[in-house]
Amino acid sequence: ARRALTPQTLQGKKVLVSAGPTWEPFDPVRFITNPSSGKMGFALAAEAARRGASVDLVTGPTTLPDPAGLTTHRITTARDMERVVRTLAEEAHLVIMAAAVSDYRPEEAAPHKIKKDDEELTIRLVRNPDILAGLGKNKKPGQILVGFAAETEHLVRNATEKLQRKNLDLIVANDLTQPGAGFRSDTNVVKVLDRFGGVEELPCLSKEEIARRLLDRIESLGAR
Ligand code: CTP
Ligand code: CA
């Protein structure tokens, strides 16, 4: 019913959204991850689809079902996500990286379950590729790139630095210290920073409402 009432403002647009955490294994049954639920990215993908876009959602492991009316691609590691996102970004008018990509992965994954043979276990981590920075380097003419910034201090300063360094059009700054913000919550508290220096502070809202407001904002940016 909602779809029928939603103006098809993204008709003819290809939208790519990433969501969820990544899992970085160090043996067949253990991995490094973070508490991302995928809700923010799924809400953005579903809202873009409602507005008539052709949507690809690339998500790490979550308990959420595939949203209706779009294509969901399920991946596990950051390197898997990079491969899929890179390919799909070639054609996308708009890319929103809402995924909580693991910055590091274990250097090696043991082929068998690690036994507790020793008193200590050291796992060496190596850097994962920065998927969004890679997209920023290869930004297509007219393509809109949107990132998230998860911070516990110096929110605006750190988010602005990421916006510039990754060549983004918009960054959604997430203050993880605010009640009702961040990872597992159904709500979020964000500041939206654009490449022209504009800062918009949103109150605590449901992730669905944040998705609507962000897409409104992105649509007005496209028209500039
Ligand atoms: N991101 C990415 N690939 C990574 C890490 C992050 O594409 N390997 C994206 C996220 O999806 C998000 C943005 O970059 O849109 C910012 O993520 P964040 O973790 O806040 O920043 P980082 O650049 O990873 O810096 P740091 O964690 O050191 O603050
Ligand atoms: Ca990070």
Side-chain angles (χ1 to χ4, degrees):
R2 165 147 238 144
R3 187 188 186 94
L5 299 171
T6 305
Q8 300 294 286
T9 46
L10 292 175
Q11 186 92 61
K13 300 287 185 195
K14 282 189 189 288
V15 175
L16 170 60
V17 182
S18 72
T22 62
W23 285 4
E24 310 294 335
F26 56 91
D27 82 8
V29 292
R30 301 186 180 99
F31 49 85
I32 311 258
T33 189
N34 62 68
S36 170
S37 64
K39 279 176 199 157
M40 191 65 250
F42 274 58
L44 280 161
E47 181 60 20
R50 254 179 238 120
R51 295 182 183 202
S54 161
V55 180
D56 286 293
L57 171 62
V58 180
T59 180
T62 76
T63 56
L64 303 172
D66 291 7
L70 55 84
T71 306
T72 303
H73 309 256
R74 302 230 174 224
I75 56 82
T76 305
T77 68
R79 289 193 295 177
D80 294 342
M81 181 175 277
E82 185 190 38
R83 223 168 291 126
V84 177
V85 162
R86 252 206 200 150
T87 305
L88 293 170
E90 293 284 328
E91 306 265 290
H93 299 101
L94 166 63
V95 182
I96 307 176
M97 281 292 299
V101 183
S102 183
D103 292 327
Y104 295 91
R105 66 175 180 279
E107 186 171 38
E108 289 175 313
H112 297 289
K113 187 179 168 220
I114 297 171
K115 289 292 182 188
K116 57 174 188 298
D117 290 335
D118 301 314
E119 281 308 308
E120 289 184 11
L121 173 66
T122 301
I123 296 183
R124 188 180 178 81
L125 303 179
V126 297
R127 273 277 279 278
N128 268 328
D130 189 319
I131 302 169
L132 186 54
L135 298 180
K137 268 198 198 118
N138 293 303
K139 192 147 114 184
K140 313 284 170 274
Q143 189 174 57
I144 294 184
L145 269 190
V146 179
F148 276 70
E151 309 292 347
T152 58
E153 55 176 358
H154 311 305
L155 180 67
V156 171
R157 191 213 296 169
N158 287 343
T160 302
E161 186 274 323
K162 286 174 190 174
L163 171 90
Q164 293 171 349
R165 179 164 48 87
K166 302 192 192 199
N167 192 22
L168 308 181
D169 299 285
L170 206 75
I171 195 158
V172 185
N174 224 325
D175 184 347
L176 299 179
T177 64
Q178 291 266 334
F183 281 128
R184 295 246 264 258
S185 174
D186 286 326
T187 58
N188 210 352
V189 185
V190 301
K191 286 190 173 75
V192 185
L193 284 60
D194 65 40
R195 69 168 184 273
F196 308 105
V199 181
E200 185 187 0
E201 212 172 319
L202 299 185
C204 184
L205 297 167
S206 71
K207 288 183 174 176
E208 286 72 24
E209 182 58 25
I210 291 181
R212 286 191 283 274
R213 296 199 189 194
L214 279 178
L215 283 171
D216 287 348
R217 195 62 202 287
I218 291 164
E219 286 178 19
S220 68
L221 205 65
R224 274 179 88 124

